[in-house]
């Protein structure tokens, strides 16, 4: 387990990708590790792509170029596929198995790939990969948006991060608003159990 990691997070607006970025960054920072993060969210308010980065262990810039990410967190399956060029050799992928169809698909102009073809593409470039039904895990916890916490829990429970599940649990308690605390704690347990 390396303490120096570059994590690329991607999803679509409304999934809590930026909330997950902030929570993960604060968890790492509270553990006494150096962290920088950045975000690109363009038309996120309209369901567009949201991309962010968390770099742990002394990086000077939040930028990640193609072939540099040690970990990809894909909160939406198609965005996982689109993010694969960022993955470094020997990298890991955590992906949702759920889709949020883009406008071209909704209008019938494009087709979504199936999850099996995405898994094959991931298998071709990743050393390890985990797949989680984030929508179901979020619903099970009490709010679909809490799927982002389930994803972070899977990441922390996997041993890939220099911080574990207890550190994430403490961050959820410390930084989540009281009205969503219990939902996110349930999502944390569900995400950890899913891997």
């Amino acid at each position: 387990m390396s303490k120096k990691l570059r994590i690329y997070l991607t999803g679509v607006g409304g999934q809590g990708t930026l909330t997950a970025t902030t929570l993960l960054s604060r968890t790492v920072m509270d553990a006494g590790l150096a962290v920088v993060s950045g975000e690109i969210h363009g038309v996120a308010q309209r369901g567009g792509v949201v991309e962010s980065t968390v770099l742990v262990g002394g990086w000077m810039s939040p930028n990640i170029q193609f072939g540099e990410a040690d970990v990809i967190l894909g909160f939406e399956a198609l965005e996982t596929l689109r993010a694969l060029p960022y993955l470094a050799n020997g990298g890991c992928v955590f992906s949702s198995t759920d889709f949020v169809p883009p406008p071209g698909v909704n209008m019938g102009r494009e087709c979504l790939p199936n999850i099996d073809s995405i898994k094959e593409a991931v298998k071709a470039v990743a050393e390890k990969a985990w797949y989680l039904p984030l929508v179901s895990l979020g619903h099970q916890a009490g709010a679909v948006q809490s799927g982002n916490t389930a994803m972070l829990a899977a990441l922390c429970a996997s041993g890939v991060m220099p911080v574990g599940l207890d550190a994430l649990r403490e961050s959820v308690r410390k930084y989540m608003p009281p009205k969503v605390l219990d939902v996110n704690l349930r999502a944390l347990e569900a995400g950890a159990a899913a891997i």
Side-chain angles (χ1 to χ4, degrees), residues 23 26-27 30 164-176 181 185 188:
L23 185 61
R26 287 177 170 176
T27 302
D30 286 352
L165 202 54
D166 289 340
L168 180 63
R169 189 178 292 111
E170 183 58 34
S171 289
V172 168
R173 288 188 176 114
K174 185 175 180 181
Y175 297 114
M176 285 290 180
L181 178 59
L185 287 172
L188 183 147

Side-chain angles (χ1 to χ4, degrees), residues 110-125:
E110 300 169 347
C111 295
L112 281 175
N114 62 41
I115 193 64
D116 291 331
S117 65
I118 291 174
K119 287 180 179 181
E120 284 300 313
V122 168
K123 184 177 178 181
V125 296

Side-chain angles (χ1 to χ4, degrees), residues 53-186:
T53 59
V54 175
L55 289 84
V56 180
W59 302 95
M60 300 304 290
S61 166
N63 293 332
I64 296 177
Q65 301 300 318
F66 284 166
E68 293 184 342
D70 300 298
V71 178
I72 290 176
L73 296 184
F75 294 91
E76 193 273 343
L78 183 58
E79 294 310 320
T80 298
L81 180 64
R82 290 177 177 165
L84 288 180
Y86 287 96
L87 191 65
N89 289 335
C92 299
V93 172
F94 293 79
S95 179
S96 177
T97 55
D98 301 309
F99 291 91
V100 177
V105 171
N106 288 333
M107 295 171 70
R109 294 187 313 215
E110 300 169 347
C111 295
L112 281 175
N114 62 41
I115 193 64
D116 291 331
S117 65
I118 291 174
K119 287 180 179 181
E120 284 300 313
V122 168
K123 184 177 178 181
V125 296
E127 183 176 305
K128 294 181 182 178
W130 293 267
Y131 299 92
L132 296 95
L134 293 187
V135 171
S136 298
L137 293 175
H139 278 300
Q140 178 184 333
V144 69
Q145 297 87 347
S146 67
N148 64 357
T149 302
M151 177 72 86
L152 293 183
L155 172 66
C156 290
S158 71
V160 171
M161 287 293 294
V163 295
L165 202 54
D166 289 340
L168 180 63
R169 189 178 292 111
E170 183 58 34
S171 289
V172 168
R173 288 188 176 114
K174 185 175 180 181
Y175 297 114
M176 285 290 180
K179 67 181 181 178
V180 296
L181 178 59
D182 289 340
V183 166
N184 280 280
L185 287 172
R186 286 191 298 269

